[in-house]
Amino acid sequence: MKNSKSYALLQELSANSYDLTQDKALKGRFESMKSSALGIDYVYACQRLNEEVVDALQGLADETDAVTQFSRMMGGENMNKIDGFECEDRQVLHTAMRDVFDDLPEGFLSDQEAVNGAKAEIAKLKTFCDEIENGTILNAKGEKFNEMILVGIGGSDLGPRAVYLALKAYAVEGRKVHFISNVDPDDAAAVLIDADLERSLVCVISKSGSTLETLTNETLVASNFEAAGLNPKDHFVCVTGKGSPMDNPDKYLRSFYMFDYVGGRYSVTSMVGAVMLSFGLGYDNFINFLRGARKIDLNSQNRDVRKNLPLLMALIGIWNRNFLDHETLAVLPYSQALSRFAAHLQQCDMESNGKRVNRQGETVDFATGPIVWGEPGTNGQHAFYQLIHQSETVVPCDFIGFAKSQYQKDLDVKGTSSQQKLLANLIAQSIGLATGKTSDNPNKVFPGNRPNSMLFAEQLTPEIMGALLALYENKIAFQGFVWNINSFDQEGVQLGKVLANEIIDIFTGQDVEAENAKEYLKTLGL
Ligand SMILES: O=P(O)(O)OC[C@H]1O[C@](O)(CO)[C@@H](O)[C@@H]1O
């Protein structure tokens, strides 16, 4: 990136980035600085840039072949590697999981083998859903299953959970989904108190089939079923990689597969999300969710940055990170349904782009992925917005909002509905952060120039949720392509796992050389 002509130009432009606090700074920008796809508007009027910067960002995308790299990824090229070093060394094909609509435009790439694999799993899932629905699959008492407990962690929990909560308004009547992820026994205990085990399916998800937390929780949940006189095999289904230690169909009511070319944090649209979402929300809603993601994958191949939403979001993120030096990104949905979306994006972005070597194994000399965090508004306004408005740390924000609520159960209080009050707050924050406010009282000064964008749609439906998910997934991939880093491995999570296993060995009385850990344990009285 740094040796491109556009980089030098962007650096020059950043010395004089657009001042959002000047008089009439926002006038005319809301209409002109808006891109739309699939019913989602992306408004970037409140970013510290002008059309000249957007043109230069287009140059950066062109010089780094960002769109071509994305298309090659979708076509099945090996994009998960570090040249000359031991690495995962494989294709990146989560997009094939939603390339199941036979809608490939001419000239677009696709990996047919991966698409066929995805279609085969979806067909298996459809049969499973029908059998639950029509009573072919019943519990020992001949009753239908109406609850599901999902056991998984990281990518095998965060994305599916975030999407389920986002779309709970569309849940199949009478069905409930519970989640267990943490190895903290209280996480499982709280769910097990609440769930009706007799009428529960358990969906155990682990791509590797070897994750400590998930295997421990699976055993713990199974022991509760046994204690209640229930056979886990009649209740447990699994989602895992072919050939993983969990790939043992004799042990489960059904086994579904994901593929090594689908990364955990990109796996929501694979069987990892599919089984639970189809059970909880209904198969058709799940398919509509996939459809939304697919449409954004197609939009992501437009070379014009103003028409390619994820690319535009990626480049604006790069502008903020590398040229304006902002270290973090707050994702602030004005929708309670998106309460876990930021947590999912935190993994998706930080595990992907929290890297310091490029795809040739060289240390990079620029910043990569931002720290991603966030909470829904308006709750966040009463918690951390003080810092966003007035501290020295500038926090770029992505606001997300919808014209209509999901349940449409609202009340006019003092002339406005709750939804109108929610939207008023959303727009007020976006403008206030950008323009700031002067005052004679230094404690009441709002410096402004806090960059922010808005993603806005009519209503949070399954299709819009699929689109939102893919917008961010593809944004993250685009940033990795421009930075020339590998966004698809996660070596940084290994060290902690190795050290934890050494400490577990100490607990089991084995003789390990782990002096620091032994001293630490002693200090804590363990
Ligand atoms: O699905 P698995 O193999 O249990 O892994 C769970 C999570 O653990 C990680 O490997 C990180 O520890 C994530 O990348 C992954 O999403």
Side-chain angles (χ1 to χ4, degrees):
M1 169 177 85
K2 260 188 144 172
N3 48 19
S4 66
K5 274 198 225 142
S6 315
Y7 183 89
L9 174 59
L10 284 160
Q11 218 171 18
E12 225 175 85
L13 294 171
S14 67
N16 236 328
S17 55
Y18 190 76
D19 183 2
L20 297 161
T21 67
Q22 63 193 309
D23 194 28
K24 300 207 174 13
L26 295 177
K27 197 165 169 35
R29 278 167 65 98
F30 293 108
E31 206 42 55
S32 65
M33 297 193 139
K34 179 179 91 171
S35 274
S36 306
L38 187 60
I40 299 181
D41 291 332
Y42 177 62
V43 182
Y44 53 102
C46 296
Q47 293 288 344
R48 298 201 62 192
L49 43 70
N50 54 18
E51 296 298 343
E52 202 182 353
V53 172
V54 180
D55 289 341
L57 290 170
Q58 171 83 62
L60 185 65
D62 294 343
E63 280 187 84
T64 53
D65 275 336
V67 175
T68 308
Q69 292 193 64
F70 188 85
S71 302
R72 282 175 17 217
M73 177 189 91
M74 285 187 66
E77 200 170 305
N78 178 348
M79 303 301 272
N80 178 356
K81 61 175 176 177
I82 306 284
D83 295 337
F85 294 89
E86 196 222 311
C87 56
E88 292 188 348
D89 201 9
R90 57 193 181 212
Q91 299 165 292
V92 176
L93 279 168
H94 52 277
T95 50
M97 303 301 104
R98 51 252 194 171
D99 182 359
V100 292
F101 296 99
D102 298 318
D103 60 353
L104 193 69
E106 225 183 287
F108 279 54
L109 299 175
S110 149
D111 184 298
Q112 266 321 298
E113 214 180 309
V115 168
N116 292 340
K119 285 182 175 174
E121 287 304 306
I122 290 180
K124 258 167 67 184
L125 176 63
K126 172 83 172 82
T127 307
F128 179 65
C129 291
D130 289 346
E131 286 176 350
I132 293 173
E133 188 63 48
N134 66 26
T136 310
I137 297 177
L138 296 168
N139 72 4
K141 283 193 182 159
E143 297 162 325
K144 284 190 178 180
F145 288 104
N146 58 9
E147 298 191 25
M148 181 177 274
I149 302 172
L150 190 140
V151 178
I153 196 164
S156 297
D157 163 70
L158 286 164
R161 190 196 295 241
V163 173
Y164 175 73
L165 294 176
L167 298 176
K168 212 171 153 194
Y170 298 85
V172 176
E173 217 186 311
R175 287 198 185 157
K176 253 197 212 170
V177 180
H178 313 266
F179 299 88
I180 300 175
S181 55
N182 203 328
V183 75
D184 176 347
D186 288 341
D187 194 16
V191 167
L192 292 167
I193 288 169
D194 219 30
D196 176 359
L197 298 193
E198 274 191 343
R199 301 198 54 186
S200 291
L201 290 164
V202 178
C203 180
V204 187
I205 309 180
S206 176
K207 177 181 174 181
S208 62
S210 61
T211 300
L212 171 89
E213 292 90 334
T214 303
L215 297 187
T216 305
N217 279 326
E218 178 181 12
T219 310
L220 193 153
V221 175
S223 77
N224 275 260
F225 273 76
E226 281 157 1
L230 303 166
N231 181 358
K233 182 165 171 166
D234 298 338
H235 294 255
F236 281 44
V237 302
C238 88
V239 181
T240 192
K242 263 236 150 78
S244 91
M246 254 170 69
D247 182 8
N248 179 5
D250 288 345
K251 199 176 144 193
Y252 298 101
L253 179 61
R254 283 286 187 288
S255 292
F256 295 94
Y257 293 105
M258 62 181 300
F259 308 93
D260 67 348
Y261 44 72
V262 177
R265 56 194 174 271
Y266 295 97
S267 67
V268 193
T269 50
S270 76
M271 285 302 116
V272 166
V275 177
M276 177 275 293
L277 293 172
S278 298
F279 176 84
L281 309 176
Y283 177 80
D284 291 346
N285 279 329
F286 171 69
I287 294 295
N288 283 334
F289 164 72
L290 279 194
R291 189 171 282 118
R294 171 65 177 164
K295 287 185 181 170
I296 290 296
D297 291 343
L298 294 176
N299 170 258
S300 302
Q301 295 180 72
N302 196 316
R303 287 178 186 280
D304 181 345
V305 65
R306 289 178 175 84
K307 295 192 176 136
N308 179 333
L309 258 59
L311 180 62
L312 184 56
M313 288 166 68
L315 292 165
I316 289 177
I318 287 173
W319 171 249
N320 284 331
R321 185 76 181 103
N322 297 109
F323 300 95
L324 303 186
D325 282 335
H326 302 317
E327 290 187 329
T328 155
L329 172 70
V331 179
L332 307 170
Y334 275 61
S335 158
Q336 195 55 32
L338 290 175
S339 61
R340 294 298 290 165
F341 193 45
H344 167 60
L345 296 179
Q346 196 168 56
Q347 183 200 12
C348 202
D349 201 323
M350 293 171 76
E351 199 167 87
S352 296
N353 288 340
K355 307 279 167 71
R356 50 181 275 288
V357 296
N358 65 17
R359 289 183 287 186
Q360 286 67 48
E362 301 151 348
T363 308
V364 295
D365 58 352
F366 50 81
T368 58
I371 297 161
V372 177
W373 59 287
E375 281 289 325
T378 61
N379 291 14
Q381 290 176 205
H382 301 274
F384 51 81
Y385 277 43
Q386 164 65 43
L387 183 148
I388 299 185
H389 278 285
Q390 282 193 313
S391 93
E392 280 300 304
T393 305
V394 174
V395 179
C397 302
D398 276 1
F399 290 104
I400 304 175
F402 304 96
K404 284 190 192 158
S405 67
Q406 287 181 313
Y407 291 97
Q408 293 284 288
K409 287 189 175 163
D410 203 342
L411 181 71
D412 268 21
V413 176
K414 294 191 180 159
T416 53
S417 66
S418 296
Q419 186 66 18
Q420 285 175 317
K421 292 180 180 81
L422 181 70
L423 291 173
N425 274 279
L426 167 58
I427 293 162
Q429 293 299 333
S430 173
I431 294 173
L433 286 163
T435 59
K437 184 177 150 301
T438 53
S439 171
D440 294 338
N441 178 343
N443 201 33
K444 292 185 190 288
V445 170
F446 289 71
N449 271 329
R450 317 266 143 158
N452 66 84
S453 297
M454 169 87 77
L455 282 164
F456 196 75
E458 177 75 4
Q459 197 175 30
L460 183 55
T461 60
E463 189 165 334
I464 290 292
M465 188 59 218
L468 268 182
L469 177 90
L471 270 182
Y472 276 96
E473 284 183 357
N474 298 355
K475 168 205 151 164
I476 292 162
F478 275 128
Q479 290 190 330
F481 293 144
V482 172
W483 284 326
N484 183 32
I485 58 173
N486 181 0
S487 303
F488 307 108
D489 66 0
Q490 55 286 317
E491 288 302 326
V493 302
Q494 294 310 326
L495 178 62
K497 287 187 189 173
V498 171
L499 295 176
N501 278 328
E502 281 181 7
I503 298 169
I504 287 169
D505 286 346
I506 298 174
F507 282 143
T508 58
Q510 294 180 53
D511 188 21
V512 284
E513 269 184 50
E515 291 317 313
N516 288 337
K518 284 180 190 163
E519 265 187 51
Y520 217 143
L521 289 172
K522 205 167 150 203
T523 306
L524 298 176
L526 293 168

